[in-house]
CSV table of all heavy atoms in Angstrom, one decimal:
chain,number,residue,atom,x,y,z
A,112,LYS,N,-15.7,22.7,16.8
A,112,LYS,CA,-14.2,22.7,16.8
A,112,LYS,C,-13.7,21.4,16.1
A,112,LYS,O,-12.7,21.5,15.4
A,112,LYS,CB,-13.7,22.8,18.2
A,112,LYS,CG,-13.8,24.2,18.8
A,112,LYS,CD,-13.1,24.3,20.1
A,112,LYS,CE,-13.1,25.7,20.7
A,112,LYS,NZ,-12.4,25.8,22.0
A,113,VAL,N,-14.3,20.3,16.3
A,113,VAL,CA,-13.9,19.1,15.7
A,113,VAL,C,-14.2,19.1,14.2
A,113,VAL,O,-13.4,18.7,13.4
A,113,VAL,CB,-14.6,17.9,16.4
A,113,VAL,CG1,-14.2,16.6,15.7
A,113,VAL,CG2,-14.3,17.8,17.8
A,114,GLN,N,-15.4,19.6,13.9
A,114,GLN,CA,-15.7,19.8,12.4
A,114,GLN,C,-14.7,20.7,11.7
A,114,GLN,O,-14.3,20.4,10.6
A,114,GLN,CB,-17.1,20.3,12.3
A,114,GLN,CG,-18.2,19.3,12.7
A,114,GLN,CD,-19.6,19.9,12.6
A,114,GLN,OE1,-19.8,21.0,12.1
A,114,GLN,NE2,-20.6,19.2,13.1
A,115,ALA,N,-14.2,21.7,12.4
A,115,ALA,CA,-13.2,22.6,11.8
A,115,ALA,C,-11.9,21.9,11.6
A,115,ALA,O,-11.2,22.1,10.6
A,115,ALA,CB,-13.0,23.8,12.7
A,116,ALA,N,-11.5,21.0,12.5
A,116,ALA,CA,-10.3,20.2,12.3
A,116,ALA,C,-10.4,19.3,11.1
A,116,ALA,O,-9.5,19.1,10.4
A,116,ALA,CB,-10.0,19.4,13.6
A,117,MET,N,-11.6,18.8,10.9
A,117,MET,CA,-11.8,17.9,9.8
A,117,MET,C,-11.8,18.7,8.5
A,117,MET,O,-11.3,18.2,7.5
A,117,MET,CB,-13.2,17.2,9.9
A,117,MET,CG,-13.3,16.1,10.8
A,117,MET,SD,-12.4,14.6,10.2
A,117,MET,CE,-13.3,14.3,8.7
A,118,LEU,N,-12.3,20.0,8.6
A,118,LEU,CA,-12.3,20.8,7.4
A,118,LEU,C,-10.9,21.1,6.8
A,118,LEU,O,-10.6,21.0,5.6
A,118,LEU,CB,-12.9,22.2,7.7
A,118,LEU,CG,-13.1,23.2,6.6
A,118,LEU,CD1,-14.1,22.6,5.6
A,118,LEU,CD2,-13.6,24.5,7.1
A,119,GLU,N,-9.9,21.3,7.7
A,119,GLU,CA,-8.5,21.6,7.3
A,119,GLU,C,-8.0,20.3,6.7
A,119,GLU,O,-7.3,20.3,5.6
A,119,GLU,CB,-7.6,22.0,8.4
A,119,GLU,CG,-6.2,22.2,8.0
A,119,GLU,CD,-5.2,22.5,9.2
A,119,GLU,OE1,-5.6,22.3,10.3
A,119,GLU,OE2,-4.1,22.9,8.9
A,120,ALA,N,-8.2,19.1,7.3
A,120,ALA,CA,-7.7,17.9,6.8
A,120,ALA,C,-8.2,17.5,5.4
A,120,ALA,O,-7.5,17.1,4.5
A,120,ALA,CB,-8.0,16.8,7.8
A,121,MET,N,-9.5,17.7,5.2
A,121,MET,CA,-10.2,17.4,4.0
A,121,MET,C,-9.8,18.4,2.9
A,121,MET,O,-9.6,18.0,1.7
A,121,MET,CB,-11.7,17.4,4.2
A,121,MET,CG,-12.2,16.3,5.0
A,121,MET,SD,-13.9,16.5,5.5
A,121,MET,CE,-14.7,16.5,3.9
A,122,ALA,N,-9.6,19.6,3.2
A,122,ALA,CA,-9.3,20.6,2.2
A,122,ALA,C,-7.9,20.7,1.8
A,122,ALA,O,-7.5,20.8,0.6
A,122,ALA,CB,-9.8,22.0,2.7
A,123,GLU,N,-7.0,20.6,2.8
A,123,GLU,CA,-5.6,20.8,2.6
A,123,GLU,C,-4.7,19.6,2.7
A,123,GLU,O,-3.5,19.6,2.4
A,123,GLU,CB,-5.1,21.9,3.6
A,123,GLU,CG,-5.9,23.2,3.6
A,123,GLU,CD,-5.9,23.9,2.3
A,123,GLU,OE1,-5.0,23.8,1.5
A,123,GLU,OE2,-6.9,24.7,2.1
A,124,LYS,N,-5.3,18.5,3.2
A,124,LYS,CA,-4.6,17.2,3.4
A,124,LYS,C,-3.4,17.5,4.3
A,124,LYS,O,-2.3,17.0,4.1
A,124,LYS,CB,-4.1,16.6,2.1
A,124,LYS,CG,-5.2,16.0,1.3
A,124,LYS,CD,-4.7,15.1,0.1
A,124,LYS,CE,-5.9,14.5,-0.6
A,124,LYS,NZ,-5.4,13.6,-1.7
A,125,GLN,N,-3.7,18.2,5.4
A,125,GLN,CA,-2.7,18.5,6.4
A,125,GLN,C,-3.4,18.8,7.7
A,125,GLN,O,-4.6,19.0,7.8
A,125,GLN,CB,-1.9,19.7,6.0
A,125,GLN,CG,-2.6,21.0,6.0
A,125,GLN,CD,-1.8,22.2,5.6
A,125,GLN,OE1,-0.8,22.0,4.8
A,125,GLN,NE2,-2.1,23.4,6.1
A,126,VAL,N,-2.7,18.7,8.8
A,126,VAL,CA,-3.2,18.9,10.2
A,126,VAL,C,-2.2,19.9,10.9
A,126,VAL,O,-1.0,19.7,10.8
A,126,VAL,CB,-3.3,17.6,11.0
A,126,VAL,CG1,-3.5,17.8,12.4
A,126,VAL,CG2,-4.5,16.8,10.4
A,127,THR,N,-2.8,20.8,11.6
A,127,THR,CA,-2.0,21.8,12.3
A,127,THR,C,-2.2,21.5,13.8
A,127,THR,O,-3.3,21.4,14.3
A,127,THR,CB,-2.4,23.2,12.1
A,127,THR,OG1,-2.2,23.5,10.7
A,127,THR,CG2,-1.5,24.2,12.9
A,128,ALA,N,-1.1,21.2,14.5
A,128,ALA,CA,-1.1,21.0,15.9
A,128,ALA,C,0.0,21.8,16.6
A,128,ALA,O,1.2,21.7,16.3
A,128,ALA,CB,-0.8,19.5,16.2
A,129,GLY,N,-0.5,22.7,17.5
A,129,GLY,CA,0.5,23.7,18.0
A,129,GLY,C,1.0,24.6,16.9
A,129,GLY,O,0.2,25.3,16.2
A,130,ARG,N,2.3,24.7,16.8
A,130,ARG,CA,2.9,25.6,15.8
A,130,ARG,C,3.3,24.9,14.5
A,130,ARG,O,3.9,25.5,13.6
A,130,ARG,CB,4.1,26.3,16.4
A,130,ARG,CG,3.7,27.2,17.6
A,130,ARG,CD,5.0,27.9,18.1
A,130,ARG,NE,4.7,28.8,19.3
A,130,ARG,CZ,5.6,29.5,19.9
A,130,ARG,NH1,6.9,29.4,19.6
A,130,ARG,NH2,5.2,30.3,20.9
A,131,LYS,N,3.1,23.6,14.5
A,131,LYS,CA,3.6,22.8,13.4
A,131,LYS,C,2.4,22.2,12.5
A,131,LYS,O,1.3,22.0,13.0
A,131,LYS,CB,4.5,21.6,13.9
A,131,LYS,CG,5.8,22.1,14.5
A,131,LYS,CD,6.6,20.9,14.8
A,131,LYS,CE,8.0,21.3,15.4
A,131,LYS,NZ,8.8,20.2,15.8
A,132,THR,N,2.7,22.0,11.3
A,132,THR,CA,1.8,21.4,10.3
A,132,THR,C,2.3,20.1,9.8
A,132,THR,O,3.5,20.0,9.5
A,132,THR,CB,1.5,22.4,9.1
A,132,THR,OG1,1.0,23.6,9.6
A,132,THR,CG2,0.6,21.8,8.1
A,133,TYR,N,1.4,19.1,9.8
A,133,TYR,CA,1.8,17.8,9.4
A,133,TYR,C,1.0,17.3,8.2
A,133,TYR,O,-0.2,17.5,8.2
A,133,TYR,CB,1.6,16.8,10.6
A,133,TYR,CG,2.3,17.2,11.9
A,133,TYR,CD1,1.7,18.0,12.8
A,133,TYR,CD2,3.6,16.7,12.1
A,133,TYR,CE1,2.4,18.4,14.0
A,133,TYR,CE2,4.3,17.1,13.3
A,133,TYR,CZ,3.7,17.9,14.2
A,133,TYR,OH,4.4,18.3,15.3
A,134,ALA,N,1.7,16.7,7.2
A,134,ALA,CA,1.0,16.3,6.0
A,134,ALA,C,0.3,15.0,6.3
A,134,ALA,O,0.8,14.1,7.0
A,134,ALA,CB,2.0,16.1,4.9
A,135,LEU,N,-0.8,14.8,5.7
A,135,LEU,CA,-1.6,13.5,5.8
A,135,LEU,C,-1.1,12.6,4.6
A,135,LEU,O,-0.4,13.0,3.7
A,135,LEU,CB,-3.1,13.8,5.6
A,135,LEU,CG,-3.7,14.6,6.8
A,135,LEU,CD1,-5.1,15.0,6.5
A,135,LEU,CD2,-3.7,13.7,8.1
A,136,PRO,N,-1.5,11.3,4.7
A,136,PRO,CA,-1.1,10.4,3.6
A,136,PRO,C,-1.5,10.9,2.2
A,136,PRO,O,-2.5,11.6,2.1
A,136,PRO,CB,-1.8,9.1,4.0
A,136,PRO,CG,-2.0,9.2,5.4
A,136,PRO,CD,-2.3,10.7,5.7
A,137,LYS,N,-0.7,10.6,1.2
A,137,LYS,CA,-1.1,11.0,-0.2
A,137,LYS,C,-2.4,10.4,-0.6
A,137,LYS,O,-3.2,11.1,-1.2
A,137,LYS,CB,0.0,10.5,-1.1
A,137,LYS,CG,-0.1,11.0,-2.5
A,137,LYS,CD,1.0,10.5,-3.4
A,137,LYS,CE,0.8,10.9,-4.9
A,137,LYS,NZ,1.9,10.4,-5.8
A,138,LEU,N,-2.7,9.2,-0.2
A,138,LEU,CA,-4.0,8.6,-0.4
A,138,LEU,C,-4.8,8.9,0.9
A,138,LEU,O,-4.5,8.3,1.9
A,138,LEU,CB,-3.9,7.1,-0.7
A,138,LEU,CG,-5.3,6.4,-0.8
A,138,LEU,CD1,-6.0,6.9,-2.0
A,138,LEU,CD2,-5.1,4.8,-0.9
A,139,PHE,N,-5.8,9.7,0.8
A,139,PHE,CA,-6.6,10.1,1.9
A,139,PHE,C,-8.0,10.3,1.5
A,139,PHE,O,-8.3,11.2,0.7
A,139,PHE,CB,-6.0,11.4,2.5
A,139,PHE,CG,-6.8,11.9,3.8
A,139,PHE,CD1,-6.8,11.1,4.9
A,139,PHE,CD2,-7.5,13.1,3.7
A,139,PHE,CE1,-7.5,11.6,6.0
A,139,PHE,CE2,-8.2,13.5,4.9
A,139,PHE,CZ,-8.2,12.8,6.0
A,140,LEU,N,-8.9,9.5,2.0
A,140,LEU,CA,-10.3,9.5,1.7
A,140,LEU,C,-11.2,9.5,3.0
A,140,LEU,O,-11.0,8.5,3.8
A,140,LEU,CB,-10.7,8.4,0.7
A,140,LEU,CG,-12.1,8.4,0.2
A,140,LEU,CD1,-12.1,7.8,-1.2
A,140,LEU,CD2,-13.1,7.6,1.0
A,141,VAL,N,-12.0,10.4,3.1
A,141,VAL,CA,-13.0,10.4,4.3
A,141,VAL,C,-14.3,10.0,3.8
A,141,VAL,O,-14.9,10.6,2.8
A,141,VAL,CB,-13.0,11.8,4.9
A,141,VAL,CG1,-14.1,11.9,6.0
A,141,VAL,CG2,-11.7,12.2,5.5
A,142,MET,N,-14.9,9.1,4.5
A,142,MET,CA,-16.3,8.7,4.2
A,142,MET,C,-17.1,9.0,5.5
A,142,MET,O,-16.9,8.3,6.5
A,142,MET,CB,-16.5,7.2,3.8
A,142,MET,CG,-17.9,6.8,3.6
A,142,MET,SD,-18.0,5.1,3.0
A,142,MET,CE,-19.8,4.9,3.0
A,143,ALA,N,-17.9,10.1,5.5
A,143,ALA,CA,-18.6,10.5,6.7
A,143,ALA,C,-20.1,10.0,6.6
A,143,ALA,O,-20.6,10.0,5.5
A,143,ALA,CB,-18.6,12.0,6.9
A,144,THR,N,-20.7,9.7,7.7
A,144,THR,CA,-22.1,9.2,7.7
A,144,THR,C,-22.9,10.1,8.5
A,144,THR,O,-22.4,10.8,9.5
A,144,THR,CB,-22.2,7.8,8.2
A,144,THR,OG1,-21.9,7.7,9.6
A,144,THR,CG2,-21.3,6.8,7.4
A,145,GLN,N,-24.2,10.3,8.1
A,145,GLN,CA,-25.2,11.0,8.9
A,145,GLN,C,-26.5,10.1,9.0
A,145,GLN,O,-26.8,9.5,8.0
A,145,GLN,CB,-25.5,12.3,8.3
A,145,GLN,CG,-24.4,13.4,8.5
A,145,GLN,CD,-24.9,14.8,8.0
A,145,GLN,OE1,-24.5,15.8,8.6
A,145,GLN,NE2,-25.8,14.8,7.0
A,146,ASN,N,-27.1,10.2,10.1
A,146,ASN,CA,-28.4,9.5,10.2
A,146,ASN,C,-29.5,10.6,10.1
A,146,ASN,O,-29.6,11.5,11.0
A,146,ASN,CB,-28.5,8.8,11.6
A,146,ASN,CG,-29.8,8.2,11.9
A,146,ASN,OD1,-30.7,8.2,11.0
A,146,ASN,ND2,-29.9,7.5,13.0
A,147,PRO,N,-30.3,10.6,9.1
A,147,PRO,CA,-31.3,11.6,8.9
A,147,PRO,C,-32.5,11.5,9.8
A,147,PRO,O,-33.4,12.4,9.8
A,147,PRO,CB,-31.7,11.4,7.4
A,147,PRO,CG,-31.6,10.0,7.2
A,147,PRO,CD,-30.4,9.5,8.0
A,148,ILE,N,-32.6,10.4,10.6
A,148,ILE,CA,-33.8,10.2,11.4
A,148,ILE,C,-33.7,10.9,12.7
A,148,ILE,O,-34.6,11.7,13.1
A,148,ILE,CB,-34.1,8.7,11.6
A,148,ILE,CG1,-34.3,8.0,10.2
A,148,ILE,CG2,-35.3,8.5,12.5
A,148,ILE,CD1,-34.4,6.5,10.3
A,149,GLU,N,-32.6,10.6,13.4
A,149,GLU,CA,-32.4,11.1,14.8
A,149,GLU,C,-31.6,12.4,14.7
A,149,GLU,O,-30.4,12.3,14.4
A,149,GLU,CB,-31.8,10.1,15.7
A,149,GLU,CG,-31.5,10.5,17.1
A,149,GLU,CD,-32.8,11.0,17.8
A,149,GLU,OE1,-33.7,10.1,18.0
A,149,GLU,OE2,-32.9,12.2,18.1
A,150,GLN,N,-32.2,13.5,15.0
A,150,GLN,CA,-31.5,14.8,15.0
A,150,GLN,C,-31.2,15.4,16.3
A,150,GLN,O,-30.6,16.5,16.4
A,150,GLN,CB,-32.2,15.8,14.1
A,150,GLN,CG,-32.4,15.4,12.7
A,150,GLN,CD,-31.1,15.3,11.9
A,150,GLN,OE1,-30.2,16.0,12.1
A,150,GLN,NE2,-30.9,14.2,11.1
A,151,GLU,N,-31.6,14.8,17.4
A,151,GLU,CA,-31.4,15.3,18.7
A,151,GLU,C,-29.9,15.2,19.1
A,151,GLU,O,-29.3,14.2,18.9
A,151,GLU,CB,-32.2,14.5,19.8
A,151,GLU,CG,-32.1,15.1,21.2
A,151,GLU,CD,-33.0,14.4,22.2
A,151,GLU,OE1,-33.9,13.5,21.7
A,151,GLU,OE2,-32.9,14.6,23.4
A,152,GLY,N,-29.4,16.3,19.6
A,152,GLY,CA,-27.9,16.3,20.0
A,152,GLY,C,-27.0,16.3,18.8
A,152,GLY,O,-25.9,15.9,19.0
A,153,THR,N,-27.4,16.9,17.7
A,153,THR,CA,-26.5,17.0,16.5
A,153,THR,C,-26.1,18.4,16.2
A,153,THR,O,-26.8,19.3,16.7
A,153,THR,CB,-27.2,16.4,15.3
A,153,THR,OG1,-28.4,17.1,15.0
A,153,THR,CG2,-27.6,14.9,15.5
A,154,TYR,N,-25.0,18.5,15.5
A,154,TYR,CA,-24.5,19.8,15.1
A,154,TYR,C,-24.5,19.8,13.5
A,154,TYR,O,-23.6,19.3,12.9
A,154,TYR,CB,-23.1,20.1,15.6
A,154,TYR,CG,-23.0,20.0,17.1
A,154,TYR,CD1,-22.9,18.8,17.8
A,154,TYR,CD2,-23.0,21.2,17.9
A,154,TYR,CE1,-22.8,18.7,19.1
A,154,TYR,CE2,-22.9,21.1,19.3
A,154,TYR,CZ,-22.8,19.8,19.9
A,154,TYR,OH,-22.7,19.8,21.3
A,155,PRO,N,-25.5,20.4,12.9
A,155,PRO,CA,-25.5,20.4,11.4
A,155,PRO,C,-24.3,20.9,10.8
A,155,PRO,O,-23.7,21.9,11.3
A,155,PRO,CB,-26.7,21.3,11.1
A,155,PRO,CG,-27.6,21.3,12.3
A,155,PRO,CD,-26.6,21.1,13.5
A,156,LEU,N,-23.8,20.3,9.8
A,156,LEU,CA,-22.5,20.7,9.1
A,156,LEU,C,-22.8,22.0,8.4
A,156,LEU,O,-23.8,22.2,7.7
A,156,LEU,CB,-22.1,19.6,8.1
A,156,LEU,CG,-21.7,18.3,8.6
A,156,LEU,CD1,-21.4,17.3,7.5
A,156,LEU,CD2,-20.5,18.4,9.6
A,157,PRO,N,-21.9,23.0,8.6
A,157,PRO,CA,-22.0,24.3,7.8
A,157,PRO,C,-21.8,24.1,6.3
A,157,PRO,O,-21.2,23.1,5.9
A,157,PRO,CB,-21.0,25.1,8.5
A,157,PRO,CG,-19.9,24.2,9.0
A,157,PRO,CD,-20.7,23.0,9.4
Side-chain angles (χ1 to χ4, degrees):
K112 285 186 177 180
V113 177
Q114 293 179 4
M117 283 291 295
L118 184 64
E119 180 189 11
M121 292 167 58
E123 310 296 337
K124 289 193 176 181
Q125 65 181 30
V126 164
T127 301
R130 298 180 179 179
K131 293 185 178 181
T132 299
Y133 303 90
L135 291 170
K137 186 179 178 183
L138 176 65
F139 180 65
L140 185 149
V141 174
M142 180 174 173
T144 68
Q145 286 190 147
N146 179 357
I148 300 174
E149 180 56 65
Q150 296 299 321
E151 185 177 350
T153 61
Y154 303 81
L156 296 176

